Each structure stands twice: as C-alpha cells, then as structure tokens.
C-alpha cells in the first residue's frame, strides 16, 4: 500500500521480506544519494533518541550528559588516547547506547532494516519504519538556508568518517565486488 502523508513523503506498507528486497534492489543501482534509517516504531518521527526520550531536555542537560559520559570513559579508551571533538564523543556514546542528539543513517537499506527490528519490544503501532531519504530530491525541494543545507551535506561526510557500517555489504564508493 502506498500512501502520501505529506506533499513529498511517500509511505509504503510492506508485509514480506521479498517486497522490501525488491524496493532495496530497485534503489541499489545508483544509491550514493540515498540515506537509510531504521526505527522500531513507525509512529516515531526522525528525531534523535535524546529528544524522543526526553522531549523537554534543555541545552544544559545535554551538556551535562556529554560531560558525565566523558568522565565515565576516563581510563577506558586505552593508553594516551587522541583528543575527541564533541561530535566524536557523541558518536562514541551512541555506539555504546547513550541517548544522543545524533540521528544515525546508513547507505544500506539492509542495515536500516536490521535496526528497525533490533529492538525486541513490540511497536506501539505494530509496524516498524525504514526511512529512505533522497538527498538530491530533498535539496531541490528544500527551503533551507544555504548554511543549513551545507550542514546537511556534511552528514554524508560524517557517515563516511565515523560509521562502522561502511563495508562491502553496502557497496561503498570504490568497492569492487569479487567475481565468485
């Protein structure tokens, strides 16, 4: 079932693995402009866990969470670890399950699907979500300021640099599959 909730958001309800696989394959030929995200509840908007779990969180609380996480890591990052930026600290925290202001994306629809079903708790709606964002279409439709759009473009660089999900399973640039 395809339903248009908003002018530029298409919702597709799938009931089988093969339906998802067909959609993923149809988007895999030229996927460098696609970002995917899996969420275990279809009612959730694209909102980081920190703000989804604590809707009234203040900047001071966010800073305190990061500060406490940094303190908890003292002595756990090895001998003489390199300094990290706040974004890198948040990424490290996200890796260990910390609620953060980061919103994780991947280039792989299958990794997104994994995260949609990772939480064993049932969804409040009975459905999971896999978001597919086409950066090209988003940019052409966007009314964001140039500065804000540049920040969104930086998301892809951040994914390339910090994501441990990049590998041959999601066909990153420069990866050539073996002929087996």
């Amino acid at each position: 079932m395809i339903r248009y909730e908003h002018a530029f958001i298409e919702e597709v309800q799938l009931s089988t693995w093969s339906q998802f696989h067909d959609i993923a394959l149809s988007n895999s030929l030229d996927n460098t402009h696609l970002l995917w995200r899996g969420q275990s509840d279809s009612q959730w908007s694209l909102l980081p866990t920190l703000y989804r779990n604590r809707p009234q969180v203040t900047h001071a609380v966010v800073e305190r969470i990061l500060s406490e996480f940094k303190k908890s890591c003292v002595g756990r990052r090895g001998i003489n670890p390199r300094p990290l930026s706040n974004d890198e600290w948040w990424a490290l925290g996200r890796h260990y399950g910390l609620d953060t202001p980061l919103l994780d994306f991947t280039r792989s629809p299958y990794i997104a699907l994994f995260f949609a079903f990772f939480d064993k708790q049932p969804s409040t709606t009975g459905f999971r979500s896999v978001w597919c964002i086409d950066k090209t279409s988003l940019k052409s439709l966007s009314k964001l300021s140039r500065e804000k759009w540049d920040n969104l473009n930086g998301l892809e660089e951040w994914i390339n640099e910090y994501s441990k999900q990049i590998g041959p399973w999601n066909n990153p640039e420069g990866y050539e599959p073996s002929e087996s």
Side-chain angles (χ1 to χ4, degrees):
M1 173 177 98
I2 299 177
R3 190 172 71 196
Y4 292 91
E5 295 265 327
H6 306 284
F8 304 107
I9 298 177
E10 177 181 341
E11 181 178 311
V12 180
Q13 187 174 332
L14 307 174
S15 56
T16 67
W17 162 253
S18 62
Q19 289 173 328
F20 180 81
H21 184 64
D22 289 345
I23 287 175
L25 284 178
S26 70
N27 286 303
S28 67
L29 297 177
D30 178 25
N31 67 357
T32 59
H33 62 283
L34 297 179
L35 297 174
W36 299 82
R37 175 172 172 76
Q39 297 188 153
S40 59
D41 197 314
S42 65
Q43 195 167 13
W44 293 346
S45 61
L46 285 176
L47 195 64
T49 54
L50 180 64
Y51 303 114
R52 189 172 53 239
N53 293 340
R54 300 173 186 161
Q56 305 301 319
V57 71
T58 64
H59 180 70
V61 170
V62 171
E63 291 299 315
R64 191 177 79 235
I65 290 170
L66 183 59
S67 176
E68 288 175 9
F69 178 71
K70 288 177 181 181
K71 288 176 191 172
S72 73
C73 290
V74 171
R76 297 180 182 191
R77 293 185 50 233
I79 298 171
N80 198 22
R82 72 174 180 83
L84 299 177
S85 69
N86 281 348
D87 286 344
E88 290 171 313
W89 277 108
W90 282 120
L92 182 63
R94 186 72 209 120
H95 177 74
Y96 287 105
L98 181 69
D99 287 350
T100 72
L102 303 180
L103 197 56
D104 300 320
F105 287 91
T106 179
R107 287 193 184 140
S108 170
Y110 303 105
I111 291 172
L113 186 66
F114 168 82
F115 282 106
F117 284 90
F118 181 72
D119 187 357
K120 294 178 181 162
Q121 297 287 14
S123 162
T124 60
T125 62
F127 294 97
R128 311 293 174 128
S129 291
V130 174
W131 293 80
C132 178
I133 298 174
D134 181 337
K135 294 187 311 176
T136 308
S137 297
L138 182 64
K139 187 173 184 178
S140 67
L141 299 172
S142 175
K143 294 183 180 176
L144 295 173
S145 71
R146 179 71 185 156
E147 178 183 320
K148 288 183 181 177
W149 180 251
D150 286 344
N151 289 339
L152 187 58
N153 274 339
L155 178 64
E156 183 176 7
E157 292 173 26
W158 190 90
I159 288 171
N160 289 337
E161 189 172 344
Y162 297 109
S163 174
K164 298 299 182 193
Q165 301 167 352
I166 299 297
W169 52 86
N170 60 4
N171 197 23
E173 294 175 32
Y175 173 75
E176 295 294 329
S178 61
E179 299 290 328
S180 328

